[in-house]
Amino acid sequence: CKHYFDLDLMPKCENEVFVDVGAYTGDSTIDFISSYGENSYKKILCYEICKENIEKMQKNLENYKNIYIFEKAITNFNGTTHFDKNADLSANSTSSGGELAVEAVTLDADIKDKITMVKMDIEGGEMNALIGMKNHIKNDTPTLLISVYHNNTDLLDIPKYISTINKNYNYYLRYYGGPYYATEIVLIALPKN
């Protein structure tokens, strides 16, 4: 199965409003579409902080309909945040002392529509981003596909936090990393209904 999209747990998707947080060059969005088909979504919203990645993503996703790309950092406040460009452009993360500025938003403030699915891989910023989408978690119960390996406590703290907002989830862990380091651990939070 594709990274994030476990067909045993999520055999099909329909009419999704899919939010790709840390969209990189569109690879996860392409995985989603190749797993479920071009008719599986109403729209896809991609968030990325690095201009070079956004340029590649625009090219990679130009043939798909209803995909919207935003140069914004998803976090727990609205304003401006900073980041340093990492040599590995897939590993950019926000920091208070970074050289480059980018608009920071919460998903609750930025998206007014109902969200049905969120994939999130933002190099340790996942908890803050979840805090910033508290209302969507509470009201929409979207499927959540969250990287939980960047911080030592995320593996426990993230599902605990989600369950304080909305009890209507079942939790699964999937490991997509190599044999030596505990990377690429994904928490899949599925609505119980």
Side-chain angles (χ1 to χ4, degrees):
C1 79
K2 303 270 195 294
H3 197 116
Y4 299 106
F5 307 107
D6 188 310
L7 296 174
D8 290 336
L9 295 175
M10 303 179 303
K12 65 179 185 167
C13 289
E14 298 174 325
N15 294 316
E16 300 292 345
V17 175
F18 173 54
V19 182
D20 189 350
V21 180
Y24 185 42
T25 60
D27 55 334
S28 296
T29 292
I30 290 169
D31 283 352
F32 171 82
I33 294 168
S34 70
S35 295
Y36 300 110
E38 286 189 53
N39 296 321
S40 62
Y41 65 94
K42 279 193 239 181
K43 64 180 167 182
I44 298 175
L45 301 102
C46 298
Y47 289 86
E48 174 59 40
I49 61 173
C50 176
K51 280 188 190 329
E52 289 90 334
N53 290 343
I54 287 172
E55 289 168 8
K56 289 177 187 167
M57 187 183 345
Q58 288 167 330
K59 202 171 241 109
N60 292 340
L61 300 177
E62 68 186 357
N63 295 321
Y64 299 103
K65 66 183 184 346
N66 299 328
I67 295 181
Y68 306 91
I69 298 170
F70 304 97
E71 184 180 348
K72 297 178 182 178
I74 300 302
T75 189
N76 60 345
F77 66 93
N78 296 297
T80 302
T81 190
H82 295 82
F83 71 100
D84 287 316
K85 204 180 320 173
N86 194 309
D88 175 1
L89 292 179
S90 71
N92 291 313
S93 62
T94 59
S95 67
S96 56
E99 272 180 42
L100 302 166
V102 65
E103 181 181 359
V105 296
T106 67
L107 284 180
D108 282 345
D110 212 51
I111 301 175
K112 297 306 177 196
D113 299 341
K114 179 179 176 171
I115 294 172
T116 63
M117 182 181 287
V118 178
K119 169 251 146 182
M120 195 178 288
D121 184 354
I122 49 175
E123 307 305 312
E126 291 82 7
M127 181 62 92
N128 283 340
L130 289 165
I131 291 167
M133 64 171 292
K134 181 178 184 175
N135 292 328
H136 280 296
I137 294 170
K138 181 179 172 186
N139 300 324
D140 303 347
T141 317
T143 296
L144 300 170
L145 313 166
I146 312 294
S147 291
V148 291
Y149 62 92
H150 298 109
N151 294 314
N152 293 334
T153 59
D154 282 354
L155 195 61
L156 298 173
D157 289 348
I158 285 178
K160 195 186 306 180
Y161 175 72
I162 294 165
S163 69
T164 65
I165 302 168
N166 188 330
K167 304 268 184 236
N168 193 32
Y169 279 104
N170 290 318
Y171 299 94
Y172 305 88
L173 287 174
R174 291 295 182 261
Y175 178 68
Y176 299 99
Y180 302 111
Y181 301 104
T183 61
E184 307 306 323
I185 301 170
V186 175
L187 173 74
I188 300 173
L190 293 179
K192 285 180 180 175
N193 46 8

